[in-house]
Amino acid sequence: MAKLETIAGPNAGVSYPIRNTGVTIVGRDETCDIVLAYRSISRHHAQFICEGDEYFLEDMGSVNGTFVNGEKVSDRVRLYDGHRINLYEIPLVFRGDHYIAGSDSHETAEIEETSYELDVVHDLSQPSMNSITQQKRRLKYLLAINSKLAGSLDIDEILPKVLDILFEIFPQSINGHIMLLDEEGKLIPRAFKQGRDDDSSVLTMIPSNSKLAPEVIRKKQGVLRDSDEVSESVLDEPVCSTMCVPLLSPSKKPLGAIELETAEEINRFLDEDLEVLSSVADMTGLAIAYAKAHTESLARQKYLQQMEMAHEVQLRMLPRNRPDSPEYDFADFYCAAEQVGGDFFYYRWLSPTRLVIALGDICGKGMPAALKMAQMTVRLHHIMETAKSLKSAMQRLNEASFTDIDELEISMTTLVVCVLNIKDHQLSIANAGHIPPICLKSENQNLVHFKHAGDGLPLGVAIDAEYHPATYQLQQGDVVLLCTDGATEAMDTNGNLYGIEGICQSIKKADPSAQAVTNQIVQDVRTFSIGQARQDDMCILAFGRK
């Protein structure tokens, strides 16, 4: 009866009978006629066909291939006594029906043994056909990895692809995982594969318990360990060989690690395997770095687009038109430190003779402050329309601010609200921790700061805070200025602040009109802070009795 003989390894000398009629299937699956329980063997790897006195071999679409005398089987191959058969790295010899022990009809025994020894020790000076084929295959896989990595900028897509190809390069692998460092420097598994027939999967962010990965990341050098040094895998499975290599960015910054494990004694990982894995890690590290840069670029672009949209929305929430009054003129200026900010101003007619003028500063900058600014504008509109008095309006605004702490994580707003009666020219002011309005008096050009004991704390500081408005009489030619601390806290290159004194000097330099005063302050603040980045939003509002 024809048979297959194992010619080397721990099963050397073991023979497997081949049926003299029909088909004999070889593979890893228990239903096969000849079961070879190796990871490198496909479930249904190859089949031997007997037709009369002739035997043929066919590969059944195996992952790692079938070889006869060093040539890969692609079509049906007729077998002769003594033919060397490799089911990937499992060395066998075919013995025909008429084989007599001790004879060698094709004088291949010596060649077979020599060939196997070359395969085992990987003598690169005289490589066998199988080792050459193996090197070509691994080169092909490296090129495949390079191609796949070049076609993706998604880390969660890249890593499973890498593991799938690594299991093709190293079919003896039983476990493989790729770990990346998080922002805190902890190793987090991001992709895992167990067994050749399992698809690689993306893992949840659970810290890794790998023993080798921290070492290779620290040393920035791959490590190969055998069973006497590493006895269990990360899944508590027995292993006989483990190799782990670091993932490095182009600047050699550690990004993570790749780790592969095998349980096959005759197919332990070798030094050249570690070199191949290191090459894969180099390509993967570059891909991860580019993917992260791409993600950051997209996030930055998306952020800028959102900020631009928010900027447009915020500008639309600010008054588009100034109040139209034959008795008064108005001017305003707004500039955010970022694309959106927390400063705001507000106009609204309560009646044909009563106008609400408000200016505020939300604690903070950017999107949270902009959201609170939008909310405050809507709240001002509602409360000022329904409040019985300016005092009660301020109390309601303060109470409402405490509901924003959990929603927006912003708890404080400075706000000054004025109600101008254009008929009797009285100005009522309620101040919640804001810079007091400054009035340029026309009769003597003196500056008067509209502040008094009834001014209260910023909104959102104390829920029972009280706000007591004060009323002032405006004379013809008087100009009133409101501004935020973006003007007073503008800084020069020496660290000096522009301050209230600088604002007062700008007011005195300007012509006595709302627009002239506003323009002068903006110009002086910009000149003062040349060479310094703007640190805060700046909002200015002025109005004057004609």
Side-chain angles (χ1 to χ4, degrees):
M1 176 180 288
K3 62 182 178 179
L4 292 174
E5 283 186 2
T6 307
I7 61 175
N11 293 325
V14 176
S15 62
Y16 306 95
I18 299 175
R19 292 175 179 171
N20 56 12
T21 59
V23 176
T24 303
I25 296 178
V26 181
R28 196 171 81 243
D29 195 88
E30 293 179 357
T31 61
C32 294
D33 300 297
I34 299 175
V35 179
L36 298 177
Y38 297 97
R39 290 280 179 177
S40 57
I41 302 299
S42 296
R43 292 189 182 277
H44 297 88
H45 198 104
Q47 61 182 4
F48 294 83
I49 305 165
C50 179
E51 296 180 354
D53 294 332
E54 297 179 344
Y55 288 86
F56 300 89
L57 173 61
E58 290 182 354
D59 184 83
M60 299 180 68
S62 65
V63 173
N64 294 308
T66 303
F67 301 82
V68 174
N69 292 339
E71 296 293 332
K72 186 173 183 179
V73 174
S74 55
D75 297 313
R76 175 183 288 202
V77 175
R78 183 176 177 181
L79 297 176
Y80 294 94
D81 187 44
H83 267 175
R84 162 71 181 275
I85 298 171
N86 275 72
L87 303 182
Y88 188 53
E89 292 183 332
I90 308 302
L92 305 163
V93 64
F94 175 74
R95 301 303 186 186
D97 289 329
H98 307 293
Y99 170 73
I100 300 174
S103 67
D104 197 333
S105 59
H106 288 270
E107 301 179 354
T108 58
E110 182 178 351
I111 297 175
E112 289 164 4
E113 187 66 24
T114 304
S115 176
Y116 174 72
E117 290 298 324
L118 289 171
D119 283 345
V120 172
V121 301
H122 293 267
D123 186 347
L124 299 181
S125 63
Q126 300 179 31
S128 68
M129 289 296 295
N130 192 42
S131 64
I132 292 175
T133 303
Q134 197 173 34
Q135 292 171 19
K136 289 181 178 179
R137 186 184 302 111
R138 290 185 175 180
L139 177 59
K140 179 187 73 174
Y141 287 141
L142 290 176
L143 294 174
I145 286 181
N146 188 57
S147 176
K148 287 182 180 292
L149 295 183
S152 177
L153 289 171
D154 183 350
I155 291 178
D156 288 334
E157 181 181 336
I158 289 171
L159 302 185
K161 288 181 178 179
V162 171
L163 276 184
D164 286 339
I165 297 181
L166 283 176
F167 269 60
E168 294 181 24
I169 298 176
F170 305 108
Q172 68 268 49
S173 301
I174 59 168
N175 295 318
H177 57 292
I178 299 178
M179 302 153 281
L180 297 183
L181 292 168
D182 65 7
E183 294 180 356
E184 299 178 356
K186 295 180 180 178
L187 269 175
I188 306 297
R190 292 292 297 271
F192 179 76
K193 186 176 177 71
Q194 182 182 21
R196 166 162 305 282
D197 299 321
D198 295 331
D199 291 332
S200 295
S201 58
V202 177
L203 295 180
T204 54
M205 302 304 181
I206 302 172
S208 169
N209 62 353
S210 170
K211 298 178 181 178
L212 289 182
E215 177 184 342
V216 303
I217 289 174
R218 185 177 64 255
K219 295 180 178 180
K220 299 182 181 181
Q221 185 175 358
V223 171
L224 175 61
R225 296 280 171 84
D226 287 331
S227 57
D228 57 336
E229 299 170 275
V230 180
S231 60
E232 290 185 343
S233 75
V234 293
L235 295 181
D236 297 327
E237 296 180 356
V239 299
C240 69
S241 185
T242 304
M243 57 181 176
C244 185
V245 295
L247 291 168
L248 304 175
S249 71
S251 61
K252 301 305 178 183
K253 177 183 177 181
L255 301 173
I258 302 177
E259 188 168 306
L260 293 180
E261 301 169 336
T262 183
E264 296 184 8
E265 282 287 341
I266 66 169
N267 288 318
R268 289 173 178 264
F269 294 128
L270 304 174
D271 289 338
E272 48 263 46
D273 296 330
L274 185 65
E275 292 178 4
V276 173
L277 185 59
S278 296
S279 298
V280 173
D282 289 342
M283 291 188 290
T284 306
L286 287 173
I288 292 172
Y290 292 147
K292 285 186 174 182
H294 178 69
T295 300
E296 291 171 0
S297 176
L298 290 179
R300 178 63 178 169
Q301 184 178 357
K302 183 177 180 180
Y303 171 78
L304 292 176
Q305 290 174 346
Q306 291 175 340
M307 290 298 101
E308 185 63 31
M309 292 174 62
H311 177 69
E312 293 296 325
V313 171
Q314 187 176 39
L315 289 180
R316 292 187 181 188
M317 297 200 70
L318 295 173
R320 297 187 183 184
N321 299 309
R322 295 165 184 167
D324 184 13
S325 169
E327 300 289 336
Y328 288 82
D329 65 334
F330 299 85
D332 48 64
F333 172 84
Y334 172 83
C335 183
E338 300 179 4
Q339 284 187 294
V340 292
D343 287 7
F344 65 96
F345 62 97
Y346 177 86
Y347 303 116
R348 184 156 190 89
W349 288 101
L350 295 178
S351 71
T353 59
R354 296 175 67 235
L355 174 68
V356 177
I357 303 167
L359 184 141
D361 185 357
I362 308 295
C363 177
K365 296 187 287 295
M367 184 60 76
L371 292 173
K372 180 66 180 290
M373 169 266 190
Q375 190 179 65
M376 181 61 73
T377 302
V378 173
R379 192 171 287 160
L380 265 171
H381 177 73
H382 172 70
I383 291 178
M384 295 306 299
E385 286 280 351
T386 58
K388 295 179 179 180
S389 66
L390 181 55
K391 178 179 179 179
S392 66
M394 293 298 290
Q395 289 175 337
R396 288 173 60 185
L397 287 168
N398 181 53
E399 291 169 359
S401 293
F402 283 88
T403 64
D404 302 336
I405 297 176
D406 293 333
E407 296 176 10
L408 299 174
E409 298 183 354
I410 292 178
S411 60
M412 191 175 76
T413 301
T414 64
L415 176 69
V416 58
V417 181
C418 308
V419 177
L420 174 64
N421 189 316
I422 64 172
K423 184 177 181 180
D424 57 19
H425 308 295
Q426 287 188 342
L427 179 67
S428 297
I429 300 175
N431 196 330
H434 200 80
I435 299 171
I438 302 173
C439 180
L440 174 64
K441 304 299 291 184
S442 59
E443 58 184 2
N444 54 19
Q445 298 298 301
N446 287 339
L447 296 177
V448 178
H449 297 263
F450 287 160
K451 60 181 179 180
H452 73 112
D455 293 345
L457 296 171
L459 304 180
V461 173
I463 196 167
D464 57 351
E466 294 186 357
Y467 304 91
H468 300 280
T471 301
Y472 304 90
Q473 188 70 39
L474 296 182
Q475 305 297 324
Q476 192 170 19
D478 287 355
V479 177
V480 178
L481 173 80
L482 290 72
C483 70
T484 60
D485 58 10
T488 59
E489 294 180 2
M491 190 178 296
D492 66 10
T493 54
N494 295 319
N496 301 311
L497 299 179
Y498 193 62
I500 294 294
E501 297 79 6
I503 296 294
C504 292
Q505 291 177 8
S506 295
I507 294 173
K508 290 181 177 180
K509 288 194 310 183
D511 292 335
S513 71
Q515 191 64 61
V517 168
T518 300
N519 292 345
Q520 188 67 54
I521 293 174
V522 172
Q523 177 182 333
D524 290 350
V525 168
R526 285 177 172 172
T527 302
F528 180 81
S529 58
I530 287 177
Q532 289 288 92
R534 190 166 61 250
Q535 299 297 318
D536 202 357
D537 308 330
M538 185 168 70
C539 187
I540 300 170
L541 186 154
F543 56 94
R545 182 180 172 186
K546 296 179 182 177

